[in-house]
Amino acid sequence: MDRWHSLNRGILSQRYEEIDVLRALAIGLMVVFHLVYDLKEFAGVDIDYQDPFWFVIGKTSALLFIFISGLSSGFSKSSVRRGLKVLFWGMVITVVTYLFMKEEYVRFGILHFLGVTMILSPLVSRLSSRTLWVLVVPIVLLGLWFNGLAVGTGLFIPFGLMNDGFSSLDYYPLFPYFAVTILGILAYRRFYAQRTKSLFSFRLNSNLTKWLSRNSLGIYLIHQPIILFIIFVVNRL
């Protein structure tokens, strides 16, 4: 076991208030953005989900999930198992979106990204903090460079290289977003590797916040069907 996991071995069961709050915030922002998207696309409501305000809400949610995933990898004894589970549900979303939205089905969305990075986290965590800091900038720069390129195959989509005509409802490639995962790992080392208490003490961490945090994957999977079902029922009235 590497030294960063060893330092925290005795406190893996400890919950940190600020992490629960951030994860609950990410879930709330995600639900709001998807509600706005669904109202526009499936209910005909005149609202522009591509407006900068809504774009920032959706992107902030995703970046928080990615950062917290990297941060939480330091506490986990089973990152690979959790990663395989998340990746499995990502593939389920791929199949479902392919059946109903073939033109823009999800090929490497946020769950695919999180699943792969969770699987990789035990290897990445073996690298020194200095090495990880050095990797952040080139990962971001490569991601920005890849974004302007087009290749003749879809095999490199997970890395940020898109083929001609690529379109997807949800797309979070390893480049540049893996840099955010690394920042989460570095935050764990800096603030939590030898800590047994939360960084902050506040009253925002209610039972609802804890429940949202603990059930984030389930909420991610069911909130869209629930929203769409409600829209369908309302449209039928």
Side-chain angles (χ1 to χ4, degrees):
M1 180 178 291
D2 64 87
R3 69 189 184 95
W4 296 107
H5 284 77
S6 297
L7 285 169
N8 208 53
R9 182 169 51 190
I11 58 171
L12 285 169
S13 61
Q14 171 71 37
R15 295 198 70 87
Y16 296 86
E17 295 179 359
E18 61 275 8
I19 297 176
D20 281 342
V21 169
L22 285 176
R23 190 179 283 114
L25 174 62
I27 294 167
L29 294 175
M30 172 195 67
V31 172
V32 168
F33 178 77
H34 286 165
L35 175 61
V36 170
Y37 177 90
D38 292 343
L39 287 174
K40 170 67 174 180
E41 294 294 326
F42 302 104
V45 176
D46 186 17
I47 184 170
D48 184 9
Y49 58 82
Q50 295 181 331
D51 181 85
F53 175 77
W54 297 115
F55 174 83
V56 169
I57 285 181
K59 190 63 67 175
T60 299
S61 171
L63 293 178
L64 279 174
F65 275 124
I66 294 171
F67 177 81
I68 294 169
S69 176
L71 178 65
S72 299
S73 67
F75 302 108
S76 178
K77 290 181 177 180
S78 54
S79 290
V80 174
R81 180 175 59 82
R82 290 172 57 243
L84 290 171
K85 176 182 177 182
V86 172
L87 184 58
F88 167 79
W89 285 112
M91 296 307 298
V92 170
I93 289 177
T94 294
V95 172
V96 172
T97 54
Y98 179 77
L99 293 175
F100 291 97
M101 299 177 178
K102 284 190 177 183
E103 297 299 323
E104 295 186 321
Y105 75 97
V106 177
R107 275 166 272 191
F108 201 82
I110 187 71
L111 289 188
H112 301 78
F113 174 90
L114 292 175
V116 170
T117 54
M118 286 177 187
I119 293 169
L120 293 176
S121 64
L123 297 176
V124 177
S125 295
R126 295 182 180 276
L127 300 176
S128 69
S129 294
R130 179 176 297 181
T131 300
L132 292 180
W133 276 115
V134 169
L135 288 175
V136 167
V137 172
I139 289 174
V140 172
L141 293 178
L142 278 173
L144 295 175
W145 181 43
F146 289 169
N147 190 50
L149 299 177
V151 296
T153 175
L155 294 176
F156 301 110
I157 286 174
F159 302 100
L161 284 167
M162 295 170 283
N163 56 309
D164 290 326
F166 173 80
S167 180
S168 179
L169 292 169
D170 186 32
Y171 184 45
Y172 282 89
L174 295 172
F175 297 91
Y177 293 104
F178 194 47
V180 182
T181 303
I182 291 176
L183 291 177
I185 294 172
L186 290 168
Y188 163 78
R189 292 182 179 182
R190 173 65 179 83
F191 298 109
Y192 294 99
Q194 301 181 69
R195 181 179 294 275
T196 58
K197 297 181 179 179
S198 297
L199 282 174
F200 308 102
S201 179
F202 45 80
R203 299 182 181 276
L204 290 175
N205 203 34
S206 64
N207 288 333
L208 175 60
T209 301
K210 293 177 182 177
W211 183 85
L212 289 171
S213 178
R214 290 169 178 169
N215 296 280
S216 56
L217 177 59
I219 294 170
Y220 184 93
L221 293 172
I222 68 170
H223 79 283
Q224 279 281 58
I226 290 175
I227 293 173
L228 292 174
F229 176 75
I230 293 173
I231 290 175
F232 174 79
V233 171
V234 171
N235 284 341
R236 285 298 189 101
L237 294 178

